Amino acid sequence: MLRISANDQRISLKIEEAIFNEKTVNQSIRVSENEKEKNLENLIIKNPSSTFYVRIKGNNLQLPGVTDGDLLVVDRKEEPGQNSMVIAIINGEMVLKRVGKHQNKLYLFSDNAEKPVEITDTMDFTIWGVVNFIIHKV
């Protein structure tokens, strides 16, 4: 299983355990005997009734690792944590940003040098969901 851990605001992947076993003679790959591991959705979805797939369109994205055509796995029930990637609706516009708190104020920001947007009471603001996984073709 892959574990994502944040270190110094960079994301690194560690292989925790193999979930596929390789057959020796014909080099075919067989999924682990554990029934839950046979279905990818069982590995990436915690709340099936509140999880959605969102396809990204456009090349003007400001978050690393997100590219045109990617599929986001978004949980609408999950509460965002500091630096969570979220889909938010701000004054009627849907955006993909990170969320953070500083001195009891809520901000949306990108990973580039763009100034964070402070969320105020005068804004129409909703966090639509938390992005848990990004699926893209390599």
Side-chain angles (χ1 to χ4, degrees), residues 106-110 112-119:
L106 186 64
Y107 292 90
L108 290 181
F109 61 95
S110 299
N112 63 13
E114 178 183 304
K115 184 178 177 183
V117 175
E118 181 183 346
I119 304 304

Side-chain angles (χ1 to χ4, degrees), residues 21-59:
N21 297 321
E22 187 175 328
K23 286 291 194 188
T24 54
V25 177
N26 59 9
Q27 301 295 319
S28 65
I29 296 177
R30 185 174 64 98
V31 176
S32 171
E33 293 302 319
N34 184 342
E35 188 64 35
K36 283 189 168 189
E37 291 180 350
K38 287 184 180 180
N39 185 342
L40 181 61
E41 286 186 345
N42 290 334
L43 293 172
I44 65 175
I45 296 177
K46 291 189 276 186
N47 302 307
S49 65
S50 64
T51 299
F52 298 86
Y53 297 98
V54 177
R55 175 87 52 198
I56 293 295
K57 296 286 184 202
N59 292 318

Side-chain angles (χ1 to χ4, degrees), residues 92-104:
E93 181 184 358
M94 189 172 273
V95 296
L96 179 64
K97 300 279 187 183
R98 293 200 181 274
V99 66
K101 266 190 166 181
H102 181 67
Q103 297 179 347
N104 290 327

